[in-house]
Amino acid sequence: MIADIFGCLARHSIFSVLDATEGFHQVELDPDSRKFTAFLTPKGLYQYKRVSFGFVNSLAIFQRAINQLLEPGLYTKCVAYVDDTIIFGRNEEEHDSNRAWVFDRCIKFNLKINPLKCQIRQRKVTFPGRNVSKQGIEPLKTDLEAFAVCKAPASKDEVRAVLGSLQFLSRFIPLFSELSKPLVNLTQKDTEFEWSEKHQNALKHMVESLSKAKPQVNPDEHTPKIVHLHILPQSIEVLCENLSGETIDRASRLLGESERNYTNVEKTILALAFAANKFEPFIKNPETEFTCESKEAIRQLTLSHKQRRVERLLLQLPPSIAPQLVLRDKNTPSPQPSLQFSKNPPEAIFYTDGASLANGKEHRRAGWGVYCSTHPELSANGPVETCPSNQTAELKAVIEACGIAKRKGFKRISIISDSKYVLNSVESWIPRWLDNNFMNHKRKTVVNRDMMFEVISATEGLDIQWQFVESHTGDFGNEKAD
């Protein structure tokens, strides 16, 4: 794990990096296995005598061989990442002693080093693909320059290439998974490629965040840490800091389709397990705290009989981690997906909500509410006349919000809803149903089809940024719409 590697660099200031010449080819293949590598040429069959690049297990075999070679001093004198080995020391004398020991091991086991690619006795080195120094870890200047002149992708493959490069540096990009979601959606099999302003703004936002990234400190596994768990509409993000508030590492991932339906408590426990596994090498100090915004999640950990899903998620925790979950200080800002991916902010922000009385019964009633936080005078509410229910009320609120925006001449707006039904409808279900005439997997007409068509008509011509917010969590706009 990369975390294991950076975890052993704390308190060291002098570094060297060695590059193994021709990497995998230095490992000899067992004679009985060579026949499996045979390939055909015009002059007959040939087979490899050395481990080749491209075999399924080449990387694992080579890494294991290097680790065995360096095992007596692994993580105390040096550490290897495939064909690169970094040697470290707290001062020049310790570094030179460690370097001499590594050279002796290379001579003993006949490991050849490429002197042209080595970095010797430096205070800042490149390893692996990042700048490493006593001050911490930071992205390479060449990577930042490459992204600065990056052109808009012209195909799905180019989008995947950009995402792969950004993923490698995602620890330096706050809200990476949340911001990259539009680009990820663009690479889906059934999605037609069309690079729009939304995608360009998301890419620009990530590149700007990367260019402003500060070095992340090398972690000391013996000191307590603070790990912040953040629950976002489409993803979870975890941030590890030392007690001085300096960033050690950051990680995030998108929520799966079923995970987006988890309660806030379950998402918090999911983030807890994710953080524990990502940061395990340097958060083993029992005084390490995990902060969250869910009092119920904290209470769940104290119960002898927990919710079933919570119990299953807790099984994902590493055995070495006994999490101490605490409520985050209200003065600590929580990251939120920016509604301003570019210099063009939304012209209006609408909070929408709907509710039904006696839902599912013959005498049911329903109503909708729209609160405009940027123009409160545009806020409105009213009843649902046709097929009143919770779902139709939520959709009606969206339709009315779009109507208000169009009447006022707004083109770019944000709609914030506490209904996962609304968000799933506009972001996932409607595009899919349009292709099969609004038939579900059982070949039956989907519920609320007519109102879905109203949503399509209402949103047409508007540039809408959708956002989900948990209900009854103190969000002022959501409470006003409710």
Side-chain angles (χ1 to χ4, degrees), residues 348 350 368-372 375 377-381 397-410 413 458 462:
F350 294 96
W368 56 269
V370 174
Y371 173 70
C372 185
H375 306 81
E377 69 278 4
L378 299 182
S379 303
N381 61 80
V398 169
I399 294 168
E400 294 295 335
C402 293
I404 294 171
K406 288 183 174 180
R407 288 193 292 274
K408 289 297 179 180
F410 299 143
I413 66 172
L462 293 174

Side-chain angles (χ1 to χ4, degrees), residues 305-317:
H305 297 287
K306 303 176 178 64
Q307 297 174 10
R308 289 186 179 180
R309 182 174 284 157
V310 170
E311 287 185 336
R312 289 198 299 271
L313 291 171
L314 289 174
L315 290 175
Q316 299 177 18
L317 289 171

Side-chain angles (χ1 to χ4, degrees), residues 58-70:
S58 293
L59 191 150
I61 289 172
F62 185 78
Q63 185 71 62
R64 188 184 304 117
I66 292 292
N67 286 350
Q68 289 173 348
L69 185 153
L70 301 172

Side-chain angles (χ1 to χ4, degrees), residues 70-272:
L70 301 172
E71 196 276 330
L74 207 59
Y75 297 109
T76 56
K77 302 176 186 292
C78 61
V79 65
Y81 183 74
V82 195
D83 59 347
D84 288 331
T85 301
I86 186 168
I87 306 165
F88 42 82
R90 284 170 288 190
N91 49 54
E92 292 183 352
E93 291 75 20
E94 182 180 78
H95 166 270
D96 292 348
S97 174
N98 292 343
R99 187 182 61 188
W101 180 87
V102 172
F103 282 168
D104 288 342
R105 300 292 291 184
C106 292
I107 293 171
K108 180 178 178 180
F109 291 94
N110 197 29
L111 179 68
K112 295 178 176 60
I113 301 298
N114 184 356
L116 298 179
K117 292 186 177 181
C118 290
Q119 305 166 68
I120 303 296
R121 217 183 194 198
Q122 303 291 318
R123 294 193 177 274
K124 178 184 285 189
V125 294
T126 301
F127 178 89
R130 301 168 177 86
N131 283 328
V132 176
S133 65
K134 183 179 180 181
Q135 285 68 41
I137 308 152
E138 57 186 343
L140 298 179
K141 185 177 179 180
T142 52
D143 289 339
L144 300 179
E145 292 172 348
F147 280 118
V149 297
C150 178
K151 296 182 180 179
S155 66
K156 289 187 178 183
D157 287 339
E158 291 186 10
V159 174
R160 292 188 186 99
V162 170
L163 283 173
S165 299
L166 288 170
Q167 177 70 51
F168 184 73
L169 299 169
S170 60
R171 63 183 294 161
F172 302 105
I173 305 175
L175 299 171
F176 170 75
S177 292
E178 197 74 17
L179 293 172
S180 65
K181 186 65 164 63
L183 275 66
V184 173
N185 290 342
L186 197 59
T187 64
Q188 299 302 309
K189 182 178 179 180
D190 298 329
T191 302
E192 182 180 353
F193 180 82
E194 183 181 352
W195 187 262
S196 66
E197 184 182 4
K198 175 178 67 174
H199 303 106
Q200 185 62 39
N201 289 338
L203 177 59
K204 181 181 178 182
H205 193 95
M206 289 186 283
V207 172
E208 287 179 351
S209 295
L210 186 60
S211 65
K212 298 174 184 177
K214 296 180 180 179
Q216 296 178 351
V217 298
N218 294 316
D220 184 344
E221 63 178 312
H222 303 294
T223 60
K225 313 292 188 305
I226 299 176
V227 180
H228 301 290
L229 312 178
H230 300 295
I231 312 304
L232 302 164
Q234 303 288 340
S235 63
I236 52 177
E237 178 160 299
V238 292
L239 175 68
C240 183
E241 298 179 338
N242 59 21
L243 296 184
S244 300
E246 297 172 304
T247 299
I248 294 173
D249 200 356
R250 175 188 288 105
S252 65
R253 76 167 180 83
L254 288 170
L255 294 169
E257 189 171 350
S258 61
E259 291 171 341
R260 288 200 295 270
N261 294 323
Y262 283 9
T263 65
N264 197 50
V265 172
E266 292 164 347
K267 289 178 181 177
T268 301
I269 303 302
L270 179 67
L272 173 64

